[in-house]
Amino acid sequence: MSELELKAEKLDAADELAVKRAEFVREEGDGAVYLDGNSLGALPVAVPGRIEDVVRREWGELRIRSWTESGWWTAPERIGDRIAPLVGAAAGQIVVGDSTSVNVFKALVAAVRMARLTDPGRNEIVVDATTFPTDGYIAESAARMTGCTLRPAIPSEVPGVLGTRTAAVLFNHVDYRTGRLHDLPMLTAAAHLVGAYVVWDLCHSAGALPVGLDAHGVDLAVGCTYKYLNGGPGSPAFLYVREDLQDLFDSPLPGWNSHAEPFGMRPDYEPAPGAPRGRVGTPDILSMLALEAALEVWDDVTVEAVRAKSLALTDFFLECVEAYAPEGRVECVTPRAHRERGSQIALRCQGAGDVMERLIGRGVVGDFRRPDVLRFGFAPLYVGFADVERAARVLADVLAEVSTEVSAGTGA
């Protein structure tokens, strides 16, 4: 057994979160390592039984009565309150429903409308230039809809481009390509300094690290639930509206579910008080209740403990890669500093697509982002240190194999 294998064994033995691994369905196969939880979280073992009960009993037997008797109607707010402590929010500020994209649109347009309540001349939206493409598409559409100019900027440069014309700013908390963690407190304060509202996309941080929405005065935030929150493919996203802004929140997508009298069927729209005004249409109950069951794995876990293990896992992975990988074959593009790192490691690598395909074929599942980035996501609730060591060792073998093929003229 190598020195790093022994170190992994000791780290796993001392890991207080190791017991959580039993609460997830493990990937089949000896030595299988799942490092793609930043795309789709693993399945908690409690979910299938809960969904069977929802389908067979609540839908199959109770039918329409389940909206009240089984709590379907209140699920968006109830589950929102369950997510709230994971992102540093008090109850009553998060509603679950719709996709991340829809919630980004709601939040961004509402932010512009709120800014114009006190200054109608605000006509600029600043967007993270490194953002996930969909956020950029939606920001562009929101700008057209509100008559604003869209101004892309790298997050570190944003404070210098903000001004009295800025209505809203849209940031990603963690860069989806590189895993860089942006400075939420500083950037939020910078936006507030010029009187703008800030919207944070938490897709790659919710469930992976402390966010502190309330503590840092964030105005609006959205996030998906199928990554580190393990809600399942297509599980509904969430929308956070700070409590003191809820009466001002003017959604561009009003629906009967967000009406003050949803069953009144009135022709005029009156928004519901509080977080429910972020709802739109009928909740996607099957996905939502699968998410609720998945969140049970957090009952005895703190985000701080998850963050501590995340940093230990990513540090150890980098140590193993540096020890095993052929020199000069990969370059880490994720910041080394803990304060700037999310819960993933991104490695730049020639032929990255082929390398990842071979890794997956050998049971180490990460993903690939064009043109040359290998992404490895570390979900501390079910990833262990032995997994990390094996992933780095297999990566090194694949890199050596590809290099040999290229040298021999048989590779791509």
Side-chain angles (χ1 to χ4, degrees), residues 311-382:
L311 292 172
L313 287 169
T314 48
D315 280 343
F316 186 55
F317 181 68
L318 289 173
E319 180 184 353
C320 292
V321 169
E322 289 169 358
Y324 292 152
E327 186 174 356
R329 192 65 176 82
V330 293
E331 174 194 0
C332 180
V333 296
T334 303
R336 299 293 181 123
H338 286 180
R339 69 180 183 280
E340 298 177 356
R341 186 195 308 167
S343 199
Q344 74 177 54
I345 294 295
L347 303 176
R348 182 169 287 124
C349 167
Q350 184 177 0
D354 177 44
V355 170
M356 183 53 68
E357 186 175 340
R358 296 186 190 212
L359 280 172
I360 293 171
R362 299 184 188 188
V364 176
V365 180
D367 66 14
F368 156 66
R369 287 293 178 265
R370 297 182 189 279
D372 58 359
V373 172
L374 302 170
R375 291 198 322 170
F376 301 94
F378 297 82
L381 295 183
Y382 53 83

Side-chain angles (χ1 to χ4, degrees), residues 38-61:
N38 54 332
S39 289
L40 177 65
L43 172 66
V45 296
V47 172
R50 173 67 178 120
I51 290 304
E52 182 176 9
D53 182 63
V54 171
V55 171
R56 292 186 181 278
R57 184 180 63 84
E58 295 184 5
W59 178 15
E61 298 175 16

Side-chain angles (χ1 to χ4, degrees), residues 379-403:
L381 295 183
Y382 53 83
V383 173
F385 292 91
D387 296 328
V388 167
E389 187 277 334
R390 181 176 189 278
R393 185 157 32 89
V394 174
L395 172 62
D397 290 344
V398 168
L399 291 172
E401 177 184 284
V402 172
S403 295

Side-chain angles (χ1 to χ4, degrees), residues 153-171:
I154 296 172
S156 61
E157 299 174 354
V158 163
V161 306
L162 298 174
T164 56
R165 292 180 54 215
T166 309
V169 188
L170 173 63
F171 292 115

Side-chain angles (χ1 to χ4, degrees), residues 14 46 86 102 112 114 124 147 158 197 205 248 285 299-300 333 360 371:
L86 304 181
V102 170
V112 173
M114 288 190 292
E124 184 176 84
V158 163
Y197 288 87
S205 57
L248 302 177
I285 291 299
D299 285 347
D300 54 354
V333 296
I360 293 171

Side-chain angles (χ1 to χ4, degrees), residues 101-168:
S101 302
V102 170
N103 283 321
V104 168
F105 179 74
K106 287 187 285 188
L108 196 53
V109 173
V112 173
R113 291 177 174 178
M114 288 190 292
R116 286 177 172 170
L117 289 174
T118 53
D119 186 352
R122 291 187 181 268
N123 61 358
E124 184 176 84
I125 295 174
V126 175
V127 63
D128 177 354
T130 63
T131 190
F132 187 74
T134 296
D135 283 17
Y137 306 154
I138 290 173
E140 183 180 5
S141 178
R144 290 199 309 270
M145 179 178 179
T146 58
C148 285
T149 299
L150 186 65
R151 187 169 185 179
I154 296 172
S156 61
E157 299 174 354
V158 163
V161 306
L162 298 174
T164 56
R165 292 180 54 215
T166 309

